[in-house]
Amino acid sequence: MTRVLTVSALVYCHFIVQTSSPTALKLTEVCSSMAHTGTHSQPVRSCLLLVVVSVCVQQVHGVWPLPQQLHQSADRGCLSPQRFSFTYGRDSAAQTGCSVLDAAFKRYFSIIFPDFTKGSENRLQYVWSEPQPFVVSVSVKTGGCDGYPDEDSDESYNLSVSEGQAVLRSVTVWGALRGLESFSQLVYQDDYGSDAMAYSKFNVFHWHIVDDPSFPYQSRTFPDLSNKGAFHPFTHIYTQSDVMRVIEHARMRGIRVVPEFDSPGHTQSWGKGQPGLLTPCYKGGVPSGSFGPVDPTIDTTYKFMESLLKEVKFVFPDSYVHLGGDEVSFACWQSNPNVRKFMEKMGFGKDFTKLESFYMESIMNMTAALNRTSIVWQDVFDYHERIPQDTVLEIWKGEKYQAELSRMTQAGHRVLLSAPWYINHISYGQDWRNSYAVQPQNFSGTEEQKKLVIGGEVAMWGEYVDATNLTPRLWPRACAAAERLWSNEEKTLNADLAFPRLEEFRCELLRRGIQAEPLFVGHCKHEYDGL
Amino acid sequence: MTRVLTVSALVYCHFIVQTSSPTALKLTEVCSSMAHTGTHSQPVRSCLLLVVVSVCVQQVHGVWPLPQQLHQSADRGCLSPQRFSFTYGRDSAAQTGCSVLDAAFKRYFSIIFPDFTKGSENRLQYVWSEPQPFVVSVSVKTGGCDGYPDEDSDESYNLSVSEGQAVLRSVTVWGALRGLESFSQLVYQDDYGSDAMAYSKFNVFHWHIVDDPSFPYQSRTFPDLSNKGAFHPFTHIYTQSDVMRVIEHARMRGIRVVPEFDSPGHTQSWGKGQPGLLTPCYKGGVPSGSFGPVDPTIDTTYKFMESLLKEVKFVFPDSYVHLGGDEVSFACWQSNPNVRKFMEKMGFGKDFTKLESFYMESIMNMTAALNRTSIVWQDVFDYHERIPQDTVLEIWKGEKYQAELSRMTQAGHRVLLSAPWYINHISYGQDWRNSYAVQPQNFSGTEEQKKLVIGGEVAMWGEYVDATNLTPRLWPRACAAAERLWSNEEKTLNADLAFPRLEEFRCELLRRGIQAEPLFVGHCKHEYDGL
């Protein structure tokens, strides 16, 4: 199958047992996050989030995905843009000048007071019932304003809202972003924007940036890859500057960018700009003119991959890189006499899975030497169970993913689950319910094994998707998985209970300008007017 | 099933045997249309269309749906906006002042020369190889510029293009619109617009304007229907002025507007603003508080329906009106003692289909008395085979639609086929191929019977569709049916051959600003940039 991944998102930070109990305050929300240890094996941190909500409407709006714990009162208040401010707490490690939070304050002010920021502040009056200022005080325990979110980022936060003030406490600036998002969802207002990932608290953008049909990534080391391998060398590429903008845009929203350079299969487009990289296929004893996967038998392949991975390390700050390794067809390798000779020399017999494993092991070692952690698709594990222990395995095959989870975690590997969340597979009706019913830890294994399931990924592969239909296909369908990954499973397994909350969240996405499709017959106060 | 029809389109004018042979000119297209007789039983008209194309590009682009006959040469020329004009032929019945064609000239000039009309005429230079003017001369046999298209409209046209000129001949202004569209598709240029129906030559907009969840039509006679029955009485309604704009917009593009006021079922929203209209349901011998279909046993119902239909006649100029009649649940009628008494009095026994037929017959007679032709869903025929002969039956049930076609045409009724084109039923992959494979006349029956199949309808019901996802779901998937209904079946049954043409047409839709989704991996020169 030809595959082009347009957007996918990984959520870490889940499956956490709530360890603190809510206080007696009116609206209490508790959010938990992963441990700071490298193994992610224990939920060691959980933070109490108290919210006494202050909004200008009849009803408190829900927060999606549902926080681990949430208490709410019927009290309401109104916010005035003239008397509203974000501020840094006195004890905060981050203060004015913190790039991430300064920008977030600006962004969320617009989200909360769209009419004001549109320059028509007199059109709507938000009057606090007893006129008084409202201050959101943000305190961050550690700094790191100029860094990037990573797998160890503590995204927990503690938000407590009462009349006249809200106090948001978090360990990191990324946790503060999550708390600001929740605060904004508690305040009912119009808005526009375009960051639906952050709105649902997705925290990793897995960028499947090249595939068989096209190589749009403009490499500084190998410019011919996109010059000759992209759909068009100018109009259909990602320049270095495009990539930097994506990474910075994501960073400001606490989203990691993990690129995927998938090999040795799915590389047809690579061959156009890098002669000699792909395996020449043979027919009747002579080269047929067509090419197969990357040629794993020659030194130049590994030199090329090393240079490319060095560039990837330079361009993408995240410590993870996805190396692919899926769906390698062996027919072309089998047809090529040089490959067969190499197989013999290496003692692989006729087992081409050994050849693929040999190749993948080489580039995983290269990646480790560059101080980066590899993610690979499940095929690599299925072929060759002994792979470097810190490699993260990703499950994409739909059938029997529970058994695969058992096997992988039994072998001590960390795992990402994507198989049940291939939402590019559309169907008629409310298919978000299928996503919502997934229980990633419901497989046979020990508690230790279950902790190795470090997250899940919603995938929107691009065979039938581009800018014309991406947004309505992603949202709100992807939100179902976000709740499965962020929220307390016991409180969120009933899709019928989730339905009205998700409908409301979808209306909130529309208000923020996201072209999110309807779940069923019905309407929103603010409809999409992009037609 | 709750249903809200967002958009559907009927195409008449199909299944026509080609009777003239192409001339020897380089690019010849022949388009045929229905007879002018009321019965639509015979293709009596076909017109020869000669095209020697003049474009500014490497390759002649196809016309979708494929004309009945098309010959093309490799000759190319370029059009210059300064030297290009539309003009009325000396022998044309329509001349300057013809609202439909004057507006069409303006619209298609923008489509052909978007850069020029954007005021940047110096940015691109279109130079005719030997500088000379290019004139498109349009001759219409009959006038009718201020009328509406109807079922008898002759939409045939004859377009012949040679160096320096194009001659477009048609019987009606509506035929001229179809020819102008084909001409614009032969000229390769950028563009923007929003009339994808006309681009694919769909010629009827079936407006399912009310249903169970909402009554958005703002009635002048019964304003409470939308005041109390719409999702919102101001923001979610169609005012009289909205309706007029839709009808005029459609008229200028040669599209008929056929409204549907579906009863006696699917009327939950009607009951809110019209107390006494719906049947009170009973439970345990007393009214349960809920309501069923329209109450067919009381006089006030028929007085209301007559007033409503009078208004519909006044507002909608088309001579057809869709009366619905589908999916009536009998449980509520059965529970109501007054209804049971009425059944007894009428001698209907326990057969509630007779009660529905009694109701439908009454409103069909009302409609006939208003000089309008009824369209009803197949249920009405299935329950009661003897219905007024000129009623058009519409098939929506997916199973065994061929047998239904046989039965209905055997009974002498004209039929519209929609069942295989319910494209709101999405699925993964290239499901347009299913639409393309439909053969509406492939059922057991005589030639006379087959002529009674007067058209087909693509339906996009609205359970899961609104402004956020309507356009990419409709286009280009609906185009498949357009070709099945306009083109020579023998030349267009192979979906693999159609695929590259449909891909190209989808790119053309993108160039015109229509958010049409991709068919598969690939790209267009001009991508959608609405993100």
Side-chain angles (χ1 to χ4, degrees), chain B residues 2-49:
Chain B
T2 308
R3 306 161 321 127
V4 185
L5 184 65
T6 304
V7 161
S8 68
L10 293 85
V11 175
Y12 299 103
C13 184
H14 342 106
F15 317 134
I16 306 308
V17 182
Q18 175 51 37
T19 54
S20 26
S21 56
T23 72
L25 284 190
K26 296 176 186 168
L27 180 57
T28 309
E29 176 191 17
V30 181
C31 159
S32 303
S33 113
M34 296 303 293
H36 272 225
T37 65
T39 63
H40 300 255
S41 58
Q42 267 196 314
V44 296
R45 171 169 302 281
S46 68
C47 55
L48 199 56
L49 163 52

Side-chain angles (χ1 to χ4, degrees), chain A residues 25 67 94 101 115 118-119 141 175 206 244 247 295-296 320 324 370 414 426 437 440 498-500 507 514 518:
Chain A
L25 286 189
L101 292 183
D115 295 296
K118 277 180 206 150
K141 203 163 180 181
H206 170 181
M244 278 170 57
I247 294 170
D295 188 340
Y320 283 64
L370 290 166
R414 288 178 296 155
I426 56 170
F499 179 72
C507 288
I514 305 294

Side-chain angles (χ1 to χ4, degrees), chain A residues 219-235:
Chain A
S219 163
R220 48 176 84 197
T221 322
F222 304 103
D224 271 355
L225 288 170
S226 63
N227 279 342
K228 299 182 177 168
F231 283 138
H232 187 282
F234 300 124
T235 59

Side-chain angles (χ1 to χ4, degrees), chain A residues 49 102 184 219 250 286 305 314 333 358 404 417 423 442 490:
Chain A
L49 163 53
D102 284 355
S184 77
S219 163
V286 292
M305 286 303 295
F314 183 82
W333 279 349
F358 171 81
E404 187 82 356
L417 180 63
I423 66 171
N442 187 12
E490 283 173 25

Side-chain angles (χ1 to χ4, degrees), chain A residues 141-309:
Chain A
K141 203 163 180 181
T142 62
C145 293
D146 300 319
Y148 289 88
D150 63 32
E151 55 155 340
D152 295 329
S153 296
D154 184 333
E155 296 174 74
S156 65
Y157 61 94
N158 176 325
L159 173 64
S160 109
V161 183
S162 55
E163 208 172 304
Q165 71 164 346
V167 177
L168 171 59
R169 293 188 171 281
S170 66
V171 178
T172 68
V173 293
W174 320 117
L177 290 180
R178 306 297 168 233
L180 287 169
E181 174 58 35
S182 291
F183 179 80
S184 77
Q185 289 185 21
L186 291 167
V187 180
Y188 176 89
Q189 266 307 327
D190 297 45
D191 181 49
Y192 54 93
S194 61
D195 295 302
M197 263 184 76
Y199 295 160
S200 294
K201 302 194 176 74
F202 281 90
N203 51 14
V204 182
F205 171 46
H206 170 181
W207 196 353
H208 185 90
I209 197 170
V210 295
D211 208 311
D212 277 325
S214 175
F215 195 106
Y217 172 74
Q218 192 177 49
S219 163
R220 48 176 84 197
T221 322
F222 304 103
D224 271 355
L225 288 170
S226 63
N227 279 342
K228 299 182 177 168
F231 283 138
H232 187 282
F234 300 124
T235 59
H236 287 68
I237 58 167
Y238 300 111
T239 64
Q240 289 287 318
S241 144
D242 292 334
V243 172
M244 278 170 57
R245 272 193 302 122
V246 168
I247 294 170
E248 180 62 8
H249 186 89
R251 184 181 86 86
M252 297 306 267
R253 285 146 187 89
I255 295 174
R256 298 164 51 197
V257 177
V258 173
E260 177 179 358
F261 285 83
D262 189 0
S263 71
H266 292 297
T267 48
Q268 287 294 302
S269 66
W270 303 35
K272 294 176 186 165
Q274 190 63 18
L277 178 67
L278 303 186
T279 310
C281 312
Y282 279 64
K283 204 171 175 181
V286 292
S288 70
S290 70
F291 295 88
V294 162
D295 188 340
T297 72
I298 51 180
D299 281 350
T300 50
T301 289
Y302 298 98
K303 280 184 190 141
F304 165 80
M305 286 303 295
E306 193 170 14
S307 301
L308 183 65
L309 288 170

Side-chain angles (χ1 to χ4, degrees), chain A residues 264 279 293 296-297 328-344 348-359 383:
Chain A
T279 310
T297 72
V328 179
S329 156
F330 297 143
C332 184
W333 279 349
Q334 204 153 9
S335 78
N336 183 302
N338 300 324
V339 174
R340 288 199 306 267
K341 216 175 291 172
F342 185 82
M343 294 278 290
E344 206 174 309
F348 292 163
K350 297 207 173 303
D351 186 353
F352 285 90
T353 68
K354 287 186 177 155
L355 181 57
E356 180 183 349
S357 296
F358 171 81
Y359 170 80
Y383 285 155

Side-chain angles (χ1 to χ4, degrees), chain A residues 213 231 236 424-425 428 463-464 466 468-469 471 473 506 515-521 523-524 527 531, chain B residues 213 231 236 424-425 428 463-464 466 468-469 471 473 506 515-521 523-524 527-528 531:
Chain A
F231 283 138
H236 287 68
N424 53 309
H425 290 146
Y428 183 68
E463 283 91 342
Y464 303 102
D466 69 5
T468 63
N469 56 358
T471 309
R473 285 201 184 186
R506 181 248 169 182
Q515 196 178 346
E517 69 179 24
L519 295 168
F520 196 54
V521 175
H523 72 292
C524 294
E527 300 286 3
L531 258 195
Chain B
F231 283 137
H236 287 68
N424 53 308
H425 290 145
Y428 183 67
E463 283 93 342
Y464 302 103
D466 70 4
T468 61
N469 56 357
T471 308
R473 285 202 184 186
R506 181 248 168 182
Q515 195 178 347
E517 70 180 21
L519 295 167
F520 196 55
V521 174
H523 71 292
C524 294
E527 300 287 4
Y528 178 73
L531 257 195

